[in-house]
Amino acid sequence: MNKGIKMRNSNKHIFLIGFMGTGKSAVSKELGKMMELDAIDTDALIADISGMSIPEIFENKGEDYFRALETNVLHRISDFQGSIVSCGGGIALKDENLEIMKRAGKIILLTASAETIYIRVKKDTQRPLLKNNLNVEYIEELMKKRQPAYDKAADIIIETDKKDILHICKEILMNLRMLEGTE
Ligand code: S3P
């Protein structure tokens, strides 16, 4: 018996976007469990397809190559059955990606303050864009640059500061229900 919390459009994807360290991967796993949907991670798929880690791709092939893979992977995912898709933090910056996601499902933006992000990512070594820039000022600056694109993409915005994963997932479910109610 299927006990998952299903939305009416459960054949559609739920895309989680937002800055690095906003909790997309952890939230997608928990939300996937709650809704009995697969949790997919664009970075993990890119690493599988290319046979390289994300830092290796940036180092050996460059960011443009990574961004092209990102779009390629999004196209592939849009043919999968409805899933929770945790997206790399830069995915919303490209209009083509936005169009793919808008066609394939709903987009949820997770946000956090630059201070919170810094605390969450400061020991991380897997994010090339932060490699030599691990400080609150840089995070704040990059976040500000990206904010208009994030806002433009989002169907739902969820703040994650001082909230645990379960709380965030419940908030997402509540907002998805409200969104469904208006459609
Ligand atoms: C990036 C975010 C990373 C990863 C890559 C680029 C970005 O994913 O896709 O390092 O441009 O913000 P996370 O947001 O999961 O860290």
Side-chain angles (χ1 to χ4, degrees):
M1 191 171 59
N2 192 344
K3 292 193 193 127
I5 304 161
K6 294 282 177 213
M7 292 292 143
R8 210 183 314 138
N9 286 323
S10 57
N11 59 328
K12 292 257 184 181
H13 293 306
I14 293 168
F15 295 97
L16 298 177
I17 66 161
F19 203 83
M20 296 167 267
T22 46
K24 293 162 293 182
S25 301
V27 168
S28 72
K29 285 182 194 138
E30 186 58 38
L31 199 59
K33 274 193 222 152
M34 289 167 93
M35 298 180 77
E36 293 190 348
L37 293 175
D38 287 339
I40 302 173
D41 186 291
T42 58
D43 278 354
L45 269 182
I46 289 170
D48 275 357
I49 289 166
S50 66
M52 283 182 275
S53 68
I54 304 303
E56 280 168 350
I57 299 173
F58 270 76
E59 200 174 316
N60 302 329
K61 302 280 191 177
E63 183 171 348
D64 288 352
Y65 183 84
F66 172 78
R67 297 297 173 201
L69 279 180
E70 220 166 29
T71 302
N72 181 299
V73 151
L74 264 190
H75 273 297
R76 292 187 194 206
I77 288 174
S78 62
D79 291 332
F80 295 179
Q81 69 173 38
S83 308
I84 315 291
V85 186
S86 166
C87 298
I91 242 170
L93 306 176
K94 200 167 157 186
D95 280 343
E96 185 182 353
N97 295 348
L98 253 195
E99 282 161 25
I100 302 169
M101 292 192 287
K102 288 275 178 201
R103 262 202 309 272
K106 293 288 173 228
I107 303 177
I108 298 174
L109 170 65
L110 300 185
T111 68
S113 69
E115 288 77 13
T116 299
I117 303 248
Y118 172 71
I119 292 165
R120 291 179 186 165
V121 303
K122 66 181 176 192
K123 296 205 178 104
D124 186 273
T125 55
Q126 294 303 304
R127 293 181 166 103
L129 295 184
L130 296 180
K131 195 176 166 200
N132 300 312
N133 301 302
L134 257 175
N135 58 75
V136 176
E137 292 70 28
Y138 180 79
I139 291 170
E140 197 150 38
E141 195 187 313
L142 186 56
M143 212 154 69
K144 227 184 231 165
K145 253 194 238 161
R146 291 180 166 191
Q147 205 56 52
Y150 287 148
D151 288 340
K152 179 179 160 199
D155 293 306
I156 292 169
I157 300 176
I158 306 283
E159 286 177 18
T160 68
D161 290 271
K162 299 193 181 112
K163 291 179 190 162
D164 63 29
I165 301 295
L166 203 62
H167 182 144
I168 296 166
C169 290
K170 285 181 182 165
E171 230 179 276
I172 291 175
L173 283 172
M174 202 177 70
N175 277 274
L176 279 171
R177 282 202 196 94
M178 285 196 305
L179 196 64
E180 277 208 334
T182 62
E183 283 175 347

